[in-house]
Each structure stands twice: as structure tokens, then as C-alpha cells.
Amino acid sequence: MSGLRILVPVKRVIDYAVKPRINRANTAVETAGVKHSMNPFDELSIEEAVRLRERKVPVEEIVAFSAGPPKAQDVLRTAMAMGADRAIHVTVEENKGDLEPLGVAKLLKQVVQQEKSNLVILGKQSIDDDANQTGQMLAGLLNWPQATQASKVTVENEDVTVIREVDGGVETLKAKLPMIITTDLRLNEPRYASLPNIMKAKKKPLVKKTLADFEADVTPRLKTVKVQEPPPRKGGVKVEDVDGMIGKLKELGAL
């Protein structure tokens, strides 16, 4: 088996511990002055790529990739501190917003071809838009096999086995490289980037590019009309017995 050339896309998102706020125009979530970090599902992807190398699977190179504002370099440095060998940053002007999943997939297709990657590991979704589309679209554009929501990954020679959780049990998929894998939360526990590795990451190559360096059509196809918070939940009521519960459910039209 020739060495794995793994591409791991990562995204800078509002930190999962921060409660998002809607901006005054009700057009998007407020991002100014808000803590950002790497998308949690992408942390799983970097960790799994590094673990494949640690399990003595022949890994030639792990490349982290991100398309986003200049500050997206922070998550790329974190990815390299976790174990990625180098990074590619496609700068997207902050006032243009996030790229849509199809645009990202088209961009990734070109990166895969340029880097001669034979395995792409990416988070099943980002926690800001929750689209859960990019991995599947990339597999379609490349005509590669895919395994989504992986909870265990095994690579032996050219064969990849992925276990994924489904309703009522687990499903085992097998395919040959090249392949697309999207990660789920049970896959692993991402490591913390140690201070020595953070310092080493500053010396690893980070190539900066722009959308003009690619031929991918990333024109937006969707328009956000309005963003609003969900209505506050109403307080519950207590019932004395089962008959009272049934009566209340009938009153609410649930029965």
C-alpha cells in the first residue's frame, strides 16, 4: 500500500460553549467580539488522521485546509499543533460570509486533485450552519465511495472499514481507497495541543491562497431572509393522575 495522503478540512466557528446572539438586523448570528474555535467535528477528523499514523498505518502526509477569514489561520495552527504536517488557507473576505456547502465541495475537489489526496476526513457538519452536506457533495463530485458519521475507522492496505451508528444498532461499511469519511462524536477524544507542539506548529508550512487561485464556482445560491431566536418555552403544568393527563392532552389536541 502506498502512503496515505490525508486531507482534513477544518472550519473556524463560534465556540461551542458560547450562546449565539442574533444581530440587530436579524440577518445572521453576531460574530464580532465572540470567541471562535475549531469546529468540534473537525477536531475529531484531525485526531483520527493522527491516530492512523500512530497505529502504524502508512501515512505520507496530513494536510489541514480551511477557507475563511484571515483569523481562520488560528484553527489551522491548532490542527498542525495536533499533528497535521502542513496547512492551506484560502482567504475569504469576512464581509462575504461563509461559503455554502456546494461551493466548499467544489473547492475541496480541486484541492484534492492538486494535492493528490487519497483520503479525505472531515466533520459530518459544522455547528454553525449544521448543513451536513459537504462530505456527501464532495464524494459525488469526485465519484469516490463515502462513509458518513464514522464511529470507528480501520485501514488495512487499500481497504477501509468504517463502523457507523444507525437507528437501532451499528452498520459496517467497507470500501477501497480513495475515499471520503465524515466523523461523528463517538469516533475519538481529541487531544489537547501541548505547548511544545504549539511552538513547533509555528514553523510548519502554511500556504495562503485566494479564491482566484481556483476555478471553483462558489457563487451563493441561497439568501438568508431572516434569522430569529426560537420562542421561549412555556411553563409546564402538573396533573393529579392519568385521567388528568389524558384530559390535558385532548385539550391540547394531542389526542
Side-chain angles (χ1 to χ4, degrees):
M1 169 185 171
S2 58
L4 285 176
R5 297 183 59 83
I6 306 176
L7 178 68
V8 185
V10 298
K11 186 177 182 181
R12 177 179 179 266
V13 298
I14 293 177
D15 189 87
Y16 73 93
V18 175
K19 186 181 186 304
R21 295 178 291 107
I22 308 300
N23 63 17
R24 292 183 178 181
N26 288 336
T27 56
V29 171
E30 184 60 65
T31 58
V34 178
K35 181 183 177 183
H36 286 66
S37 58
M38 187 188 301
N39 180 49
F41 291 100
D42 300 339
E43 290 182 336
L44 299 165
S45 304
I46 287 287
E47 177 66 26
E48 192 62 24
V50 175
R51 289 193 185 192
L52 286 174
R53 173 178 278 163
E54 293 174 344
R55 293 198 291 264
K56 307 303 180 183
V57 175
V59 174
E60 185 176 329
E61 191 173 40
I62 301 171
V63 179
F65 170 88
S66 190
K71 291 182 180 179
Q73 291 183 41
D74 295 344
V75 298
L76 289 171
R77 291 293 180 192
T78 300
M80 290 189 287
M82 291 175 67
D85 300 306
R86 59 186 177 91
I88 301 171
H89 178 211
V90 176
T91 304
V92 179
E93 294 179 20
E94 204 152 3
N95 58 3
K96 290 189 176 181
D98 290 340
L99 300 177
E100 293 176 0
L102 181 58
V104 176
K106 289 180 177 180
L107 196 58
L108 286 173
K109 177 186 176 183
Q110 292 197 17
V111 175
V112 166
Q113 294 170 338
Q114 290 176 5
E115 297 295 323
K116 296 181 171 55
S117 306
N118 56 5
L119 178 62
V120 182
I121 307 178
L122 67 164
K124 70 172 185 177
Q125 64 195 76
S126 59
I127 62 172
D128 50 4
D129 58 22
D130 284 324
N132 194 353
Q133 295 175 332
T134 304
Q136 294 89 324
M137 289 177 170
L138 178 60
L141 292 172
L142 288 169
N143 195 27
W144 284 9
Q146 62 174 309
T148 60
Q149 300 167 227
S151 58
K152 185 177 180 180
V153 176
T154 305
V155 179
E156 187 174 353
N157 297 322
E158 299 290 326
D159 298 316
V160 181
T161 302
V162 174
I163 296 176
R164 59 196 298 268
E165 295 183 357
V166 296
D167 290 342
V170 296
E171 181 180 57
T172 301
L173 303 175
K174 290 187 177 181
K176 290 188 176 294
L177 295 171
M179 188 177 182
I180 308 292
I181 297 174
T182 71
T183 58
D184 208 348
L185 291 175
R186 295 187 189 273
L187 179 59
N188 58 51
E189 183 72 30
R191 69 195 66 193
Y192 287 102
S194 65
L195 182 58
N197 287 336
I198 291 173
M199 300 306 293
K200 290 177 183 177
K202 293 181 179 180
K203 298 181 180 180
K204 291 184 178 181
L206 193 160
V207 177
K208 299 178 184 179
K209 296 188 177 184
T210 66
L211 291 173
D213 295 320
F214 299 88
E215 297 178 357
D217 178 13
V218 297
T219 305
R221 289 169 167 75
L222 300 174
K223 179 182 178 181
T224 301
V225 178
K226 187 177 182 181
V227 178
Q228 62 188 68
E229 294 187 10
R233 293 182 61 179
K234 296 180 180 179
V237 295
K238 290 184 179 181
V239 293
E240 298 296 330
D241 48 31
V242 174
D243 291 337
M245 181 181 69
I246 293 174
K248 192 65 177 177
L249 290 173
K250 287 181 177 179
E251 180 184 327
L252 295 171
L255 288 179

